[in-house]
Amino acid sequence: MARTSHSPADRRLIDLAAQHGVEVSARHLERWRSRPNPLLPAHHRDYPGRPSGGSSSTADEQLVALVVWLAQNRRQGADRGHLALRAFGAGLPVPEETVRHAFARPAEDLAKQLRRGFGPLPVDGDLQEWVYDGAADLVGTQERRLTAVQRRVEAIDRQVRAKPGLAPAWQFATELDPGAAEADPLGRTDFAFHSAITAMAGPSEMSPDTLARAARGFVTDGTPQWAAHLLETDPREPLAALAASPQHQLPGLPADSIANHLYAVARAAPIERLRAAWAAAGEIPSWAETSCAAVEAELFAGQPAEATEQWAMGMIFGASRSFLLTGLSEPNPTLAEQTATAVQLILMADAFNTTLTTTDDDGREAMRLLAPSFLLALLTIG
């Protein structure tokens, strides 16, 4: 079938792209608008009215930058979702449906892994028993060893704890968290077990005490940790932001599965919040490496200063320890890794924001000072 000739609006886009030194054809525009997951929005259409009927499309000149970018970044076999994420991250007007589809892919992949690892949802029988047995089977097939990243972080922790100049800070921290010495942090295998349970069954399966043990497992044993102490003693529900079953659901999972919460973020979070989270996730590797390198340099020189003090504060107060390990483990994250981290950041920020609504001005100021820089854009500190 012969194609209709391209519209005046398309000719305008082609001409404007040429002015930027980029050759674009009508076929390119057609392919970028093709479904599913179009990379280029359709032109705005004006309807002049009846009885003359018909419509005319006009070139939105804001699309020129997107057309130029697509022309410069196109290559045979490129993943359309990856192109969409890169263009979206560059601030270009990729169609929202395509952006959301790309952000949903990590949750869909997690759901596939869970369904494969746990097997089908039981029609009859004990759901909790099925979840716990499935988590035990998953963890039992994997030996948990320290990674080079974990060894590096633990070595810094021990050196920071040993610095005499920080003794007053540790004394203060011990007063904030008097039970640290007797606490029972989650080991790597137990952490993997509880993470698998929560991923499949939802946050209700992770009690505040278990969350506290998980938080303590991110720092050297016996380190006072204010966040863990709050989880053990604060009557507020730490996961209140995740209390309701997510509106958007993936098939074959319990309603409250973390995969569904991640999927709901991708499908429903304001598009500018997704953009802010994408940018924040991209900052984590450099933030993590800079944090480590700065404190290591101070410790090597025997002159602990600001970086060492910030590291100590991160050990005591840091809800960002998991992202420190993520940033060091993924120094050059793939697009899929950055997307997954972005959605996780929104879930974490939502939990913090729920807590901030019941926090006084001192608490909000403390959050402003203690939250890592990449998280601040997602917090409603005021």
Side-chain angles (χ1 to χ4, degrees), residues 98-180:
T98 304
V99 172
R100 292 193 182 280
H101 181 269
F103 271 90
R105 279 173 64 177
E108 293 167 344
D109 290 343
L110 174 59
K112 291 176 185 176
Q113 294 170 16
L114 292 173
R115 289 194 296 264
R116 185 167 55 247
F118 283 76
L121 276 168
V123 177
D124 298 308
D126 190 319
L127 182 65
Q128 188 176 61
E129 181 180 343
W130 169 75
V131 169
Y132 275 66
D133 287 348
D137 290 342
L138 280 178
V139 174
T141 63
Q142 303 175 32
E143 186 176 355
R144 302 285 156 182
R145 292 195 179 100
L146 273 177
T147 66
V149 163
Q150 290 167 327
R151 286 194 293 271
R152 180 185 183 187
V153 170
E154 289 189 6
I156 296 173
D157 283 352
R158 292 192 180 94
Q159 291 179 73
V160 171
R161 282 295 307 272
K163 288 301 174 185
L166 293 175
W170 294 119
Q171 179 59 40
F172 173 69
T174 300
E175 293 170 1
L176 286 177
D177 182 21

Side-chain angles (χ1 to χ4, degrees), residues 10-366:
D10 276 355
R11 285 198 296 272
R12 174 69 174 158
L13 271 181
I14 292 167
D15 290 343
L16 289 171
Q19 292 175 21
H20 288 80
V22 172
E23 183 179 348
V24 174
S25 69
R27 176 63 181 135
H28 290 134
L29 301 180
E30 180 183 336
R31 187 164 62 247
W32 293 333
R33 290 196 192 101
S34 65
R35 307 185 79 84
N37 307 317
L39 294 169
L40 185 65
H43 291 299
H44 173 73
R45 301 191 74 84
D46 294 314
Y47 291 84
R50 308 275 191 288
S52 59
S55 66
S56 63
S57 58
T58 57
D60 182 348
E61 297 193 13
Q62 292 181 351
L63 296 182
V64 175
L66 176 56
V67 168
V68 169
W69 188 94
L70 289 171
Q72 292 173 334
N73 289 273
R74 69 175 184 263
R75 60 182 177 82
Q76 191 69 28
D79 184 284
R80 181 166 282 215
H82 291 174
L83 276 175
L85 286 169
R86 290 172 56 206
F88 175 74
L92 297 168
V94 183
E96 182 174 323
E97 61 181 295
T98 304
V99 172
R100 292 193 182 280
H101 181 269
F103 271 90
R105 279 173 64 177
E108 293 167 344
D109 290 343
L110 174 59
K112 291 176 185 176
Q113 294 170 16
L114 292 173
R115 289 194 296 264
R116 185 167 55 247
F118 283 76
L121 276 168
V123 177
D124 298 308
D126 190 319
L127 182 65
Q128 188 176 61
E129 181 180 343
W130 169 75
V131 169
Y132 275 66
D133 287 348
D137 290 342
L138 280 178
V139 174
T141 63
Q142 303 175 32
E143 186 176 355
R144 302 285 156 182
R145 292 195 179 100
L146 273 177
T147 66
V149 163
Q150 290 167 327
R151 286 194 293 271
R152 180 185 183 187
V153 170
E154 289 189 6
I156 296 173
D157 283 352
R158 292 192 180 94
Q159 291 179 73
V160 171
R161 282 295 307 272
K163 288 301 174 185
L166 293 175
W170 294 119
Q171 179 59 40
F172 173 69
T174 300
E175 293 170 1
L176 286 177
D177 182 21
E182 291 77 36
D184 180 25
L186 282 184
R188 280 175 293 280
T189 299
D190 286 340
F191 179 80
F193 173 70
H194 285 283
S195 296
I197 290 170
T198 305
M200 176 53 94
S204 63
E205 292 298 324
M206 183 78 87
S207 70
D209 283 346
T210 304
L211 279 171
R213 293 179 62 205
R216 293 190 187 282
F218 282 120
V219 294
T220 303
D221 290 354
T223 297
Q225 197 179 67
W226 183 62
H229 177 71
L230 283 181
L231 287 165
E232 294 161 347
T233 61
D234 195 314
R236 291 176 295 187
E237 170 54 55
L239 297 176
L242 303 179
S245 295
Q247 178 182 359
H248 298 272
Q249 297 276 324
L250 291 161
L253 302 175
D256 291 334
S257 169
I258 286 295
N260 285 330
H261 283 280
L262 296 170
Y263 184 67
V265 167
R267 302 307 307 176
I271 199 71
E272 287 309 315
R273 190 159 176 76
L274 288 175
R275 195 185 304 278
W278 173 263
E283 294 175 17
I284 292 177
S286 60
W287 165 81
E289 179 56 37
T290 298
S291 298
C292 276
V295 69
E296 286 170 335
E298 290 181 1
L299 293 170
F300 180 78
Q303 298 177 332
E306 182 179 357
T308 305
E309 292 171 2
Q310 289 178 347
W311 188 276
M313 291 300 99
M315 293 174 68
I316 297 167
F317 297 103
S320 59
R321 260 306 168 102
S322 62
F323 290 109
L324 176 73
L325 295 171
T326 296
L328 294 172
S329 300
E330 301 170 0
N332 298 295
T334 64
L335 291 168
E337 288 168 343
Q338 185 170 344
T339 307
T341 301
V343 177
Q344 292 166 25
L345 276 173
I346 292 177
L347 281 184
M348 174 179 274
D350 286 347
F352 283 163
N353 286 331
T354 299
T355 302
L356 285 169
T357 62
T358 59
T359 301
D360 58 19
D361 289 342
D362 288 343
R364 282 185 281 274
E365 180 61 23

